[in-house]
Amino acid sequence: MAKLKVDGTEIEVPDHYTLLQAAEEAGAEIPRFCFHERLSVAGNCRMCLVEVKGGPPKPAASCAMGVRDLRPGPNGETPEIFTNTPMVKKAREGVMEFLLINHPLDCPICDQGGECDLQDQAMAFGVDSSRYRENKRAVEDKYIGPLVKTIMTRCIHCTRCVRFTTEVAGISELGLIGRGEDAEITTFLEQAMTSELQGNVIDLCPVGALTSRPYAFQARPWELTKTETVDVMDAVGSSIRVDTRGREVMRILPRLNESINEEWISDKTRFVWDGLRTQRLDRPYIRRDGRLQPATWPEAFAAIKARVDAAAPGSMGAVAGDLAAVEEMWALKRLVASLGSTSVDCRQDGAKLDPADGRASYLFNTTIAGIEDADALLIIGANPRFEASVLNARIRKRWRMDNFPIGVIGERSDLRYDYTYLGAGPDTLSDIEGASRGFFDALKNAAKPMIIVGQGAISGANGADVLASIAALAREIGAVTEGWNGFNVLHSAASRVGGLDIGFVPGEGGKDFAAMAAGGVDLLFNLSADEVDIAPGPFVVYIGTHGDRGAHRADVILPGAAYTEKSGTWVNVEGRAQTGSRASFPPGDAREDWAVLRALSAVLGRALPFDSLAALRRELYEAHPHLRSDAVVAADPAAITTLADRAGTLSGPAFVSGFGDFYLSNPIARASKVMAECSKLAQDQHLEAAE
């Protein structure tokens, strides 16, 4: 710790703090443009100037000077800095005047208006006039893709975007070329950016040089209603803010959450909002004469009742899709149980995960923040760059800190960090030491080794054997010890952990989804499962939001609510239950999914015992108390040992990720014009790289 005085107030801070951090710890406000807590120090905007007592007769950049660089007074006095002296005030005014020499006066048409750091700091620390009358310079705008719009004349060369793409996203796609008046930010070859995290540069840009292309000229920030909620585009459960105007979602932004997403979100999370407007199901439909035709709610319920009455109790089943909230899965499970069936499943990809094996067998036990404490990492059958982009950025953050050996078994791909490729499938898993003795030794000697198991490794016919073998490996290398559980399952579906938590899997005598989809049931309730095909035969009742694959196969469609249109609980990959808030309302006659199921149960003569969301949650929390809070409830690591005892000889094909196209992974994304454009661009770039 180090002691210093800030504007006469003595404080004690860690000795690795910069003067800027120390000043803010003392309550002083320090303006900045280039400095960002999660990026390296550039020190090139000079807005954060302070005066150092006893130092040189000029102000110092507080972001680039550490408290350990300060020297005590001649008699051992505590080092002192000032943030509001006439010298500092004049220096900041001069810096602001320089920044505005070439900045265009287009605030009225700038999408950053109302949220612009340059506007705010010019008001607080600038002057009301300029001494410069020369013509302003102009810079040609760059096309860097369908997501980020550039107006480079506004750029003040803070280089936040350059440092983000290089350090956090892991690909050097932006850089500064030229010198002096000719300096400009650009992509190296003037082509579209490829990072799946590129949209974060919009939030980082302190001026209007980088703005959202899909959101351009759509709304002003003071017109929007802000709702804090949870992202469901992947299983990470990033904290987001949904901004709406009337009934329409206008944009999605990240919220600060150090435990999960820090302050980043993926491009799919940020730009999928236009898919909430198109191809929506806004009324019930019934298939008549081979065609889906509009119907009323009573007609749709009557058609379902007729089929339920004609079906045998054991010939009915239900499947939950990747975006379902815990509440509607609970209601659907209760409804199917009341009809005398145990055939329910939330694993539409066929992953061999079973809550009977213990909660630790399907959680990301290390936690997302715990990645930074790991010493070595083995990734098996996963591509975290696309399956959980924000989590992958956390892995890269740990990799950049210091020596962090990473090994991969499965598909070889660019993960944005270096790794040792060990092999493709079960053969390599059985003999990691033979694949790479050096990496195996590093893994085994690590104090906190970590294993990430992807759905690609455990979705095949031998998935259960693979999972048991990985548990045995975790035990062998000491990944599960007191105070540390390095066995982690990486999910790609937001609903998966919640479904497993409430037991939305086949009960005794029940059929799994593969058997139900192949025609093993006469009637199937489909809760937004759109990523698989259902064979002809079963009568399908689809409850969902979009006219996607599930709706095309349905015999009756009951329109539901999207994740921004309902209050629901989603359990993220680490087992953290989070409640999302409603930001808008469903279109037309669509209703919240749990309410649809409650109304249907009454028509079927098996009314569920709750009439409100609060009553449903009381029942849910009584059965599963850990769903009540947003804290991570650690699972019993003994489950890993039990699982490891079942390990046997492995065989089978190579591990292949079944995740598919990152930009088109769910019905909302497939309805998005922006996501379709990103997908097409990614395919073209992949073909160019292959050539």
Side-chain angles (χ1 to χ4, degrees), residues 247 280-285 295 297 543-546 557-562 565-566 582 584-596:
R247 298 176 69 97
R280 290 301 302 270
L281 300 172
D282 59 356
R283 67 185 69 179
Y285 288 84
W297 282 103
I543 306 166
T545 59
H546 286 72
I557 294 175
L558 305 178
E565 299 160 359
K566 61 188 175 187
R582 181 173 62 192
S584 60
F585 292 88
D589 292 333
R591 296 293 183 267
E592 294 187 34
D593 304 62
W594 75 267
V596 171

PDB file of all heavy atoms in Angstrom, residues 247 280-285 295 297 543-546 557-562 565-566 582 584-596:
ATOM      1  N   ARG A 247     -43.681  -0.340 -28.134  1.00  0.00           N
ATOM      2  CA  ARG A 247     -43.660  -1.799 -28.063  1.00  0.00           C
ATOM      3  C   ARG A 247     -42.439  -2.391 -28.748  1.00  0.00           C
ATOM      4  O   ARG A 247     -42.265  -3.609 -28.749  1.00  0.00           O
ATOM      5  CB  ARG A 247     -44.923  -2.377 -28.722  1.00  0.00           C
ATOM      6  CG  ARG A 247     -46.222  -1.958 -28.056  1.00  0.00           C
ATOM      7  CD  ARG A 247     -47.413  -2.500 -28.823  1.00  0.00           C
ATOM      8  NE  ARG A 247     -47.511  -3.946 -28.707  1.00  0.00           N
ATOM      9  CZ  ARG A 247     -48.288  -4.570 -27.830  1.00  0.00           C
ATOM     10  NH1 ARG A 247     -49.022  -3.867 -26.982  1.00  0.00           N
ATOM     11  NH2 ARG A 247     -48.348  -5.879 -27.790  1.00  0.00           N
ATOM     12  N   ARG A 280     -43.001 -13.032 -36.697  1.00  0.00           N
ATOM     13  CA  ARG A 280     -43.571 -13.326 -35.386  1.00  0.00           C
ATOM     14  C   ARG A 280     -44.904 -14.063 -35.508  1.00  0.00           C
ATOM     15  O   ARG A 280     -45.689 -13.821 -36.427  1.00  0.00           O
ATOM     16  CB  ARG A 280     -43.779 -12.039 -34.592  1.00  0.00           C
ATOM     17  CG  ARG A 280     -42.499 -11.368 -34.128  1.00  0.00           C
ATOM     18  CD  ARG A 280     -41.665 -12.253 -33.240  1.00  0.00           C
ATOM     19  NE  ARG A 280     -42.368 -12.695 -32.059  1.00  0.00           N
ATOM     20  CZ  ARG A 280     -42.365 -12.037 -30.910  1.00  0.00           C
ATOM     21  NH1 ARG A 280     -41.680 -10.911 -30.788  1.00  0.00           N
ATOM     22  NH2 ARG A 280     -43.019 -12.519 -29.871  1.00  0.00           N
ATOM     23  N   LEU A 281     -45.139 -14.934 -34.562  1.00  0.00           N
ATOM     24  CA  LEU A 281     -46.426 -15.606 -34.424  1.00  0.00           C
ATOM     25  C   LEU A 281     -47.280 -14.755 -33.497  1.00  0.00           C
ATOM     26  O   LEU A 281     -46.952 -14.594 -32.315  1.00  0.00           O
ATOM     27  CB  LEU A 281     -46.234 -17.003 -33.832  1.00  0.00           C
ATOM     28  CG  LEU A 281     -45.353 -17.960 -34.653  1.00  0.00           C
ATOM     29  CD1 LEU A 281     -45.081 -19.231 -33.872  1.00  0.00           C
ATOM     30  CD2 LEU A 281     -46.005 -18.277 -35.988  1.00  0.00           C
ATOM     31  N   ASP A 282     -48.380 -14.192 -34.028  1.00  0.00           N
ATOM     32  CA  ASP A 282     -49.190 -13.276 -33.225  1.00  0.00           C
ATOM     33  C   ASP A 282     -50.619 -13.764 -33.036  1.00  0.00           C
ATOM     34  O   ASP A 282     -51.470 -13.031 -32.533  1.00  0.00           O
ATOM     35  CB  ASP A 282     -49.200 -11.884 -33.849  1.00  0.00           C
ATOM     36  CG  ASP A 282     -49.747 -11.884 -35.273  1.00  0.00           C
ATOM     37  OD1 ASP A 282     -50.042 -12.978 -35.796  1.00  0.00           O
ATOM     38  OD2 ASP A 282     -49.872 -10.790 -35.853  1.00  0.00           O
ATOM     39  N   ARG A 283     -50.909 -15.010 -33.462  1.00  0.00           N
ATOM     40  CA  ARG A 283     -52.237 -15.587 -33.254  1.00  0.00           C
ATOM     41  C   ARG A 283     -52.121 -17.104 -33.316  1.00  0.00           C
ATOM     42  O   ARG A 283     -51.162 -17.626 -33.884  1.00  0.00           O
ATOM     43  CB  ARG A 283     -53.214 -15.103 -34.327  1.00  0.00           C
ATOM     44  CG  ARG A 283     -52.887 -15.605 -35.726  1.00  0.00           C
ATOM     45  CD  ARG A 283     -53.800 -15.026 -36.775  1.00  0.00           C
ATOM     46  NE  ARG A 283     -53.552 -13.606 -36.956  1.00  0.00           N
ATOM     47  CZ  ARG A 283     -54.210 -12.852 -37.849  1.00  0.00           C
ATOM     48  NH1 ARG A 283     -55.154 -13.389 -38.590  1.00  0.00           N
ATOM     49  NH2 ARG A 283     -53.910 -11.581 -37.975  1.00  0.00           N
ATOM     50  N   PRO A 284     -53.067 -17.833 -32.742  1.00  0.00           N
ATOM     51  CA  PRO A 284     -53.022 -19.298 -32.849  1.00  0.00           C
ATOM     52  C   PRO A 284     -53.289 -19.753 -34.290  1.00  0.00           C
ATOM     53  O   PRO A 284     -53.950 -19.054 -35.063  1.00  0.00           O
ATOM     54  CB  PRO A 284     -54.136 -19.749 -31.905  1.00  0.00           C
ATOM     55  CG  PRO A 284     -54.423 -18.580 -31.020  1.00  0.00           C
ATOM     56  CD  PRO A 284     -54.133 -17.364 -31.848  1.00  0.00           C
ATOM     57  N   TYR A 285     -52.782 -20.929 -34.611  1.00  0.00           N
ATOM     58  CA  TYR A 285     -53.015 -21.541 -35.923  1.00  0.00           C
ATOM     59  C   TYR A 285     -53.354 -23.016 -35.726  1.00  0.00           C
ATOM     60  O   TYR A 285     -52.865 -23.668 -34.798  1.00  0.00           O
ATOM     61  CB  TYR A 285     -51.769 -21.434 -36.805  1.00  0.00           C
ATOM     62  CG  TYR A 285     -51.473 -20.046 -37.321  1.00  0.00           C
ATOM     63  CD1 TYR A 285     -50.759 -19.133 -36.541  1.00  0.00           C
ATOM     64  CD2 TYR A 285     -51.893 -19.637 -38.581  1.00  0.00           C
ATOM     65  CE1 TYR A 285     -50.481 -17.859 -37.000  1.00  0.00           C
ATOM     66  CE2 TYR A 285     -51.619 -18.366 -39.056  1.00  0.00           C
ATOM     67  CZ  TYR A 285     -50.912 -17.485 -38.261  1.00  0.00           C
ATOM     68  OH  TYR A 285     -50.639 -16.229 -38.718  1.00  0.00           O
ATOM     69  N   ALA A 295     -56.681 -19.226 -36.217  1.00  0.00           N
ATOM     70  CA  ALA A 295     -57.764 -19.720 -35.371  1.00  0.00           C
ATOM     71  C   ALA A 295     -57.840 -18.873 -34.116  1.00  0.00           C
ATOM     72  O   ALA A 295     -56.972 -18.033 -33.849  1.00  0.00           O
ATOM     73  CB  ALA A 295     -57.532 -21.191 -35.016  1.00  0.00           C
ATOM     74  N   TRP A 297     -58.176 -18.729 -29.789  1.00  0.00           N
ATOM     75  CA  TRP A 297     -57.638 -19.528 -28.687  1.00  0.00           C
ATOM     76  C   TRP A 297     -58.571 -20.691 -28.327  1.00  0.00           C
ATOM     77  O   TRP A 297     -58.092 -21.826 -28.170  1.00  0.00           O
ATOM     78  CB  TRP A 297     -57.393 -18.643 -27.466  1.00  0.00           C
ATOM     79  CG  TRP A 297     -56.139 -17.822 -27.547  1.00  0.00           C
ATOM     80  CD1 TRP A 297     -56.052 -16.490 -27.827  1.00  0.00           C
ATOM     81  CD2 TRP A 297     -54.798 -18.280 -27.348  1.00  0.00           C
ATOM     82  NE1 TRP A 297     -54.735 -16.084 -27.822  1.00  0.00           N
ATOM     83  CE2 TRP A 297     -53.936 -17.163 -27.523  1.00  0.00           C
ATOM     84  CE3 TRP A 297     -54.239 -19.504 -27.049  1.00  0.00           C
ATOM     85  CZ2 TRP A 297     -52.555 -17.248 -27.403  1.00  0.00           C
ATOM     86  CZ3 TRP A 297     -52.857 -19.605 -26.920  1.00  0.00           C
ATOM     87  CH2 TRP A 297     -52.033 -18.496 -27.097  1.00  0.00           C
ATOM     88  N   ILE A 543     -45.447 -24.242 -29.092  1.00  0.00           N
ATOM     89  CA  ILE A 543     -45.594 -23.007 -28.316  1.00  0.00           C
ATOM     90  C   ILE A 543     -44.320 -22.207 -28.534  1.00  0.00           C
ATOM     91  O   ILE A 543     -43.239 -22.601 -28.075  1.00  0.00           O
ATOM     92  CB  ILE A 543     -45.779 -23.313 -26.820  1.00  0.00           C
ATOM     93  CG1 ILE A 543     -46.933 -24.289 -26.613  1.00  0.00           C
ATOM     94  CG2 ILE A 543     -46.022 -22.032 -26.030  1.00  0.00           C
ATOM     95  CD1 ILE A 543     -46.973 -24.903 -25.237  1.00  0.00           C
ATOM     96  N   GLY A 544     -44.398 -21.104 -29.262  1.00  0.00           N
ATOM     97  CA  GLY A 544     -43.185 -20.365 -29.597  1.00  0.00           C
ATOM     98  C   GLY A 544     -43.478 -18.989 -30.129  1.00  0.00           C
ATOM     99  O   GLY A 544     -44.615 -18.500 -30.081  1.00  0.00           O
ATOM    100  N   THR A 545     -42.428 -18.359 -30.654  1.00  0.00           N
ATOM    101  CA  THR A 545     -42.514 -16.939 -31.013  1.00  0.00           C
ATOM    102  C   THR A 545     -42.378 -16.662 -32.503  1.00  0.00           C
ATOM    103  O   THR A 545     -42.862 -15.649 -32.981  1.00  0.00           O
ATOM    104  CB  THR A 545     -41.414 -16.159 -30.284  1.00  0.00           C
ATOM    105  OG1 THR A 545     -40.128 -16.693 -30.652  1.00  0.00           O
ATOM    106  CG2 THR A 545     -41.574 -16.278 -28.774  1.00  0.00           C
ATOM    107  N   HIS A 546     -41.701 -17.554 -33.242  1.00  0.00           N
ATOM    108  CA  HIS A 546     -41.379 -17.255 -34.634  1.00  0.00           C
ATOM    109  C   HIS A 546     -41.828 -18.377 -35.570  1.00  0.00           C
ATOM    110  O   HIS A 546     -41.917 -19.543 -35.163  1.00  0.00           O
ATOM    111  CB  HIS A 546     -39.870 -17.039 -34.798  1.00  0.00           C
ATOM    112  CG  HIS A 546     -39.387 -15.736 -34.263  1.00  0.00           C
ATOM    113  ND1 HIS A 546     -39.306 -15.471 -32.910  1.00  0.00           N
ATOM    114  CD2 HIS A 546     -38.973 -14.599 -34.892  1.00  0.00           C
ATOM    115  CE1 HIS A 546     -38.856 -14.226 -32.736  1.00  0.00           C
ATOM    116  NE2 HIS A 546     -38.636 -13.687 -33.915  1.00  0.00           N
ATOM    117  N   ILE A 557     -50.458 -24.227 -33.409  1.00  0.00           N
ATOM    118  CA  ILE A 557     -49.478 -23.245 -32.948  1.00  0.00           C
ATOM    119  C   ILE A 557     -50.118 -22.356 -31.903  1.00  0.00           C
ATOM    120  O   ILE A 557     -51.200 -21.786 -32.127  1.00  0.00           O
ATOM    121  CB  ILE A 557     -48.961 -22.380 -34.126  1.00  0.00           C
ATOM    122  CG1 ILE A 557     -48.173 -23.230 -35.121  1.00  0.00           C
ATOM    123  CG2 ILE A 557     -48.098 -21.236 -33.603  1.00  0.00           C
ATOM    124  CD1 ILE A 557     -47.731 -22.464 -36.355  1.00  0.00           C
ATOM    125  N   LEU A 558     -49.453 -22.241 -30.750  1.00  0.00           N
ATOM    126  CA  LEU A 558     -49.881 -21.344 -29.684  1.00  0.00           C
ATOM    127  C   LEU A 558     -48.807 -20.272 -29.528  1.00  0.00           C
ATOM    128  O   LEU A 558     -47.688 -20.573 -29.123  1.00  0.00           O
ATOM    129  CB  LEU A 558     -50.060 -22.111 -28.367  1.00  0.00           C
ATOM    130  CG  LEU A 558     -51.014 -23.321 -28.414  1.00  0.00           C
ATOM    131  CD1 LEU A 558     -51.051 -24.010 -27.059  1.00  0.00           C
ATOM    132  CD2 LEU A 558     -52.410 -22.898 -28.846  1.00  0.00           C
ATOM    133  N   PRO A 559     -49.095 -19.016 -29.891  1.00  0.00           N
ATOM    134  CA  PRO A 559     -48.053 -17.967 -29.882  1.00  0.00           C
ATOM    135  C   PRO A 559     -47.617 -17.595 -28.473  1.00  0.00           C
ATOM    136  O   PRO A 559     -48.456 -17.366 -27.586  1.00  0.00           O
ATOM    137  CB  PRO A 559     -48.736 -16.787 -30.581  1.00  0.00           C
ATOM    138  CG  PRO A 559     -50.205 -17.009 -30.332  1.00  0.00           C
ATOM    139  CD  PRO A 559     -50.405 -18.500 -30.321  1.00  0.00           C
ATOM    140  N   GLY A 560     -46.306 -17.560 -28.261  1.00  0.00           N
ATOM    141  CA  GLY A 560     -45.744 -17.231 -26.956  1.00  0.00           C
ATOM    142  C   GLY A 560     -45.019 -15.900 -26.965  1.00  0.00           C
ATOM    143  O   GLY A 560     -45.111 -15.118 -27.926  1.00  0.00           O
ATOM    144  N   ALA A 561     -44.252 -15.651 -25.914  1.00  0.00           N
ATOM    145  CA  ALA A 561     -43.544 -14.382 -25.737  1.00  0.00           C
ATOM    146  C   ALA A 561     -42.041 -14.602 -25.827  1.00  0.00           C
ATOM    147  O   ALA A 561     -41.517 -15.605 -25.334  1.00  0.00           O
ATOM    148  CB  ALA A 561     -43.893 -13.768 -24.389  1.00  0.00           C
ATOM    149  N   ALA A 562     -41.349 -13.665 -26.475  1.00  0.00           N
ATOM    150  CA  ALA A 562     -39.887 -13.716 -26.563  1.00  0.00           C
ATOM    151  C   ALA A 562     -39.274 -13.298 -25.227  1.00  0.00           C
ATOM    152  O   ALA A 562     -39.964 -12.817 -24.322  1.00  0.00           O
ATOM    153  CB  ALA A 562     -39.396 -12.809 -27.683  1.00  0.00           C
ATOM    154  N   GLU A 565     -40.053 -10.029 -23.700  1.00  0.00           N
ATOM    155  CA  GLU A 565     -41.479  -9.745 -23.534  1.00  0.00           C
ATOM    156  C   GLU A 565     -42.091 -10.462 -22.328  1.00  0.00           C
ATOM    157  O   GLU A 565     -43.311 -10.525 -22.205  1.00  0.00           O
ATOM    158  CB  GLU A 565     -42.228 -10.159 -24.806  1.00  0.00           C
ATOM    159  CG  GLU A 565     -41.754  -9.405 -26.035  1.00  0.00           C
ATOM    160  CD  GLU A 565     -42.103 -10.086 -27.349  1.00  0.00           C
ATOM    161  OE1 GLU A 565     -42.704 -11.178 -27.311  1.00  0.00           O
ATOM    162  OE2 GLU A 565     -41.763  -9.534 -28.411  1.00  0.00           O
ATOM    163  N   LYS A 566     -41.237 -11.015 -21.470  1.00  0.00           N
ATOM    164  CA  LYS A 566     -41.761 -11.731 -20.311  1.00  0.00           C
ATOM    165  C   LYS A 566     -40.745 -11.668 -19.183  1.00  0.00           C
ATOM    166  O   LYS A 566     -39.550 -11.445 -19.406  1.00  0.00           O
ATOM    167  CB  LYS A 566     -42.052 -13.186 -20.666  1.00  0.00           C
ATOM    168  CG  LYS A 566     -40.826 -13.970 -21.117  1.00  0.00           C
ATOM    169  CD  LYS A 566     -41.207 -15.349 -21.634  1.00  0.00           C
ATOM    170  CE  LYS A 566     -39.996 -16.084 -22.206  1.00  0.00           C
ATOM    171  NZ  LYS A 566     -40.358 -17.340 -22.857  1.00  0.00           N
ATOM    172  N   ARG A 582     -39.419  -7.974 -18.082  1.00  0.00           N
ATOM    173  CA  ARG A 582     -40.131  -7.684 -19.322  1.00  0.00           C
ATOM    174  C   ARG A 582     -39.852  -6.257 -19.766  1.00  0.00           C
ATOM    175  O   ARG A 582     -40.035  -5.311 -19.004  1.00  0.00           O
ATOM    176  CB  ARG A 582     -41.634  -7.897 -19.127  1.00  0.00           C
ATOM    177  CG  ARG A 582     -42.452  -7.638 -20.388  1.00  0.00           C
ATOM    178  CD  ARG A 582     -43.898  -8.033 -20.193  1.00  0.00           C
ATOM    179  NE  ARG A 582     -44.527  -7.255 -19.134  1.00  0.00           N
ATOM    180  CZ  ARG A 582     -45.714  -7.554 -18.613  1.00  0.00           C
ATOM    181  NH1 ARG A 582     -46.361  -8.634 -19.021  1.00  0.00           N
ATOM    182  NH2 ARG A 582     -46.235  -6.785 -17.678  1.00  0.00           N
ATOM    183  N   SER A 584     -40.968  -5.210 -23.118  1.00  0.00           N
ATOM    184  CA  SER A 584     -42.062  -4.849 -24.026  1.00  0.00           C
ATOM    185  C   SER A 584     -43.133  -5.929 -23.917  1.00  0.00           C
ATOM    186  O   SER A 584     -43.059  -6.799 -23.048  1.00  0.00           O
ATOM    187  CB  SER A 584     -41.552  -4.707 -25.464  1.00  0.00           C
ATOM    188  OG  SER A 584     -40.990  -5.924 -25.918  1.00  0.00           O
ATOM    189  N   PHE A 585     -44.101  -5.897 -24.805  1.00  0.00           N
ATOM    190  CA  PHE A 585     -45.212  -6.842 -24.739  1.00  0.00           C
ATOM    191  C   PHE A 585     -45.267  -7.692 -26.000  1.00  0.00           C
ATOM    192  O   PHE A 585     -44.863  -7.252 -27.082  1.00  0.00           O
ATOM    193  CB  PHE A 585     -46.530  -6.090 -24.546  1.00  0.00           C
ATOM    194  CG  PHE A 585     -46.649  -5.430 -23.206  1.00  0.00           C
ATOM    195  CD1 PHE A 585     -46.177  -4.143 -23.004  1.00  0.00           C
ATOM    196  CD2 PHE A 585     -47.216  -6.103 -22.135  1.00  0.00           C
ATOM    197  CE1 PHE A 585     -46.275  -3.534 -21.768  1.00  0.00           C
ATOM    198  CE2 PHE A 585     -47.313  -5.495 -20.891  1.00  0.00           C
ATOM    199  CZ  PHE A 585     -46.846  -4.223 -20.702  1.00  0.00           C
ATOM    200  N   PRO A 586     -45.791  -8.914 -25.900  1.00  0.00           N
ATOM    201  CA  PRO A 586     -45.892  -9.778 -27.090  1.00  0.00           C
ATOM    202  C   PRO A 586     -46.846  -9.172 -28.118  1.00  0.00           C
ATOM    203  O   PRO A 586     -47.774  -8.441 -27.754  1.00  0.00           O
ATOM    204  CB  PRO A 586     -46.443 -11.100 -26.527  1.00  0.00           C
ATOM    205  CG  PRO A 586     -46.248 -11.024 -25.046  1.00  0.00           C
ATOM    206  CD  PRO A 586     -46.272  -9.583 -24.685  1.00  0.00           C
ATOM    207  N   PRO A 587     -46.642  -9.481 -29.391  1.00  0.00           N
ATOM    208  CA  PRO A 587     -47.504  -8.903 -30.433  1.00  0.00           C
ATOM    209  C   PRO A 587     -48.856  -9.619 -30.518  1.00  0.00           C
ATOM    210  O   PRO A 587     -48.972 -10.812 -30.227  1.00  0.00           O
ATOM    211  CB  PRO A 587     -46.691  -9.127 -31.713  1.00  0.00           C
ATOM    212  CG  PRO A 587     -45.898 -10.369 -31.426  1.00  0.00           C
ATOM    213  CD  PRO A 587     -45.567 -10.311 -29.966  1.00  0.00           C
ATOM    214  N   GLY A 588     -49.883  -8.893 -30.933  1.00  0.00           N
ATOM    215  CA  GLY A 588     -51.182  -9.496 -31.224  1.00  0.00           C
ATOM    216  C   GLY A 588     -51.769 -10.266 -30.058  1.00  0.00           C
ATOM    217  O   GLY A 588     -51.847  -9.777 -28.928  1.00  0.00           O
ATOM    218  N   ASP A 589     -52.181 -11.512 -30.353  1.00  0.00           N
ATOM    219  CA  ASP A 589     -52.806 -12.365 -29.349  1.00  0.00           C
ATOM    220  C   ASP A 589     -51.810 -13.235 -28.598  1.00  0.00           C
ATOM    221  O   ASP A 589     -52.220 -14.113 -27.818  1.00  0.00           O
ATOM    222  CB  ASP A 589     -53.849 -13.275 -30.017  1.00  0.00           C
ATOM    223  CG  ASP A 589     -55.044 -12.494 -30.540  1.00  0.00           C
ATOM    224  OD1 ASP A 589     -55.330 -11.419 -29.980  1.00  0.00           O
ATOM    225  OD2 ASP A 589     -55.687 -12.945 -31.509  1.00  0.00           O
ATOM    226  N   ALA A 590     -50.531 -13.058 -28.835  1.00  0.00           N
ATOM    227  CA  ALA A 590     -49.522 -13.870 -28.150  1.00  0.00           C
ATOM    228  C   ALA A 590     -49.553 -13.582 -26.653  1.00  0.00           C
ATOM    229  O   ALA A 590     -49.845 -12.465 -26.220  1.00  0.00           O
ATOM    230  CB  ALA A 590     -48.145 -13.584 -28.723  1.00  0.00           C
ATOM    231  N   ARG A 591     -49.225 -14.614 -25.865  1.00  0.00           N
ATOM    232  CA  ARG A 591     -49.224 -14.486 -24.418  1.00  0.00           C
ATOM    233  C   ARG A 591     -47.971 -15.130 -23.841  1.00  0.00           C
ATOM    234  O   ARG A 591     -47.286 -15.899 -24.519  1.00  0.00           O
ATOM    235  CB  ARG A 591     -50.465 -15.169 -23.819  1.00  0.00           C
ATOM    236  CG  ARG A 591     -51.788 -14.530 -24.226  1.00  0.00           C
ATOM    237  CD  ARG A 591     -51.918 -13.130 -23.628  1.00  0.00           C
ATOM    238  NE  ARG A 591     -53.208 -12.523 -23.951  1.00  0.00           N
ATOM    239  CZ  ARG A 591     -53.431 -11.734 -25.001  1.00  0.00           C
ATOM    240  NH1 ARG A 591     -52.443 -11.460 -25.844  1.00  0.00           N
ATOM    241  NH2 ARG A 591     -54.623 -11.209 -25.208  1.00  0.00           N
ATOM    242  N   GLU A 592     -47.691 -14.840 -22.583  1.00  0.00           N
ATOM    243  CA  GLU A 592     -46.545 -15.470 -21.928  1.00  0.00           C
ATOM    244  C   GLU A 592     -46.754 -16.979 -21.877  1.00  0.00           C
ATOM    245  O   GLU A 592     -47.858 -17.460 -21.647  1.00  0.00           O
ATOM    246  CB  GLU A 592     -46.353 -14.897 -20.527  1.00  0.00           C
ATOM    247  CG  GLU A 592     -45.956 -13.432 -20.528  1.00  0.00           C
ATOM    248  CD  GLU A 592     -45.618 -12.923 -19.139  1.00  0.00           C
ATOM    249  OE1 GLU A 592     -45.075 -13.711 -18.347  1.00  0.00           O
ATOM    250  OE2 GLU A 592     -45.894 -11.752 -18.861  1.00  0.00           O
ATOM    251  N   ASP A 593     -45.671 -17.732 -22.073  1.00  0.00           N
ATOM    252  CA  ASP A 593     -45.768 -19.173 -22.256  1.00  0.00           C
ATOM    253  C   ASP A 593     -46.406 -19.882 -21.065  1.00  0.00           C
ATOM    254  O   ASP A 593     -47.218 -20.798 -21.240  1.00  0.00           O
ATOM    255  CB  ASP A 593     -44.378 -19.749 -22.524  1.00  0.00           C
ATOM    256  CG  ASP A 593     -43.707 -19.095 -23.714  1.00  0.00           C
ATOM    257  OD1 ASP A 593     -43.456 -17.869 -23.676  1.00  0.00           O
ATOM    258  OD2 ASP A 593     -43.438 -19.784 -24.697  1.00  0.00           O
ATOM    259  N   TRP A 594     -46.021 -19.499 -19.851  1.00  0.00           N
ATOM    260  CA  TRP A 594     -46.594 -20.174 -18.686  1.00  0.00           C
ATOM    261  C   TRP A 594     -48.099 -19.952 -18.619  1.00  0.00           C
ATOM    262  O   TRP A 594     -48.860 -20.856 -18.224  1.00  0.00           O
ATOM    263  CB  TRP A 594     -45.922 -19.703 -17.393  1.00  0.00           C
ATOM    264  CG  TRP A 594     -46.348 -18.324 -16.949  1.00  0.00           C
ATOM    265  CD1 TRP A 594     -45.750 -17.142 -17.228  1.00  0.00           C
ATOM    266  CD2 TRP A 594     -47.514 -18.018 -16.164  1.00  0.00           C
ATOM    267  NE1 TRP A 594     -46.458 -16.098 -16.676  1.00  0.00           N
ATOM    268  CE2 TRP A 594     -47.535 -16.609 -16.013  1.00  0.00           C
ATOM    269  CE3 TRP A 594     -48.530 -18.772 -15.582  1.00  0.00           C
ATOM    270  CZ2 TRP A 594     -48.535 -15.949 -15.307  1.00  0.00           C
ATOM    271  CZ3 TRP A 594     -49.534 -18.123 -14.875  1.00  0.00           C
ATOM    272  CH2 TRP A 594     -49.525 -16.727 -14.739  1.00  0.00           C
ATOM    273  N   ALA A 595     -48.554 -18.747 -19.012  1.00  0.00           N
ATOM    274  CA  ALA A 595     -49.983 -18.443 -18.988  1.00  0.00           C
ATOM    275  C   ALA A 595     -50.736 -19.261 -20.033  1.00  0.00           C
ATOM    276  O   ALA A 595     -51.873 -19.706 -19.791  1.00  0.00           O
ATOM    277  CB  ALA A 595     -50.203 -16.950 -19.215  1.00  0.00           C
ATOM    278  N   VAL A 596     -50.111 -19.475 -21.191  1.00  0.00           N
ATOM    279  CA  VAL A 596     -50.714 -20.315 -22.228  1.00  0.00           C
ATOM    280  C   VAL A 596     -50.908 -21.735 -21.698  1.00  0.00           C
ATOM    281  O   VAL A 596     -51.971 -22.354 -21.871  1.00  0.00           O
ATOM    282  CB  VAL A 596     -49.833 -20.326 -23.494  1.00  0.00           C
ATOM    283  CG1 VAL A 596     -50.336 -21.357 -24.503  1.00  0.00           C
ATOM    284  CG2 VAL A 596     -49.791 -18.942 -24.129  1.00  0.00           C
TER     285      VAL A 596
END
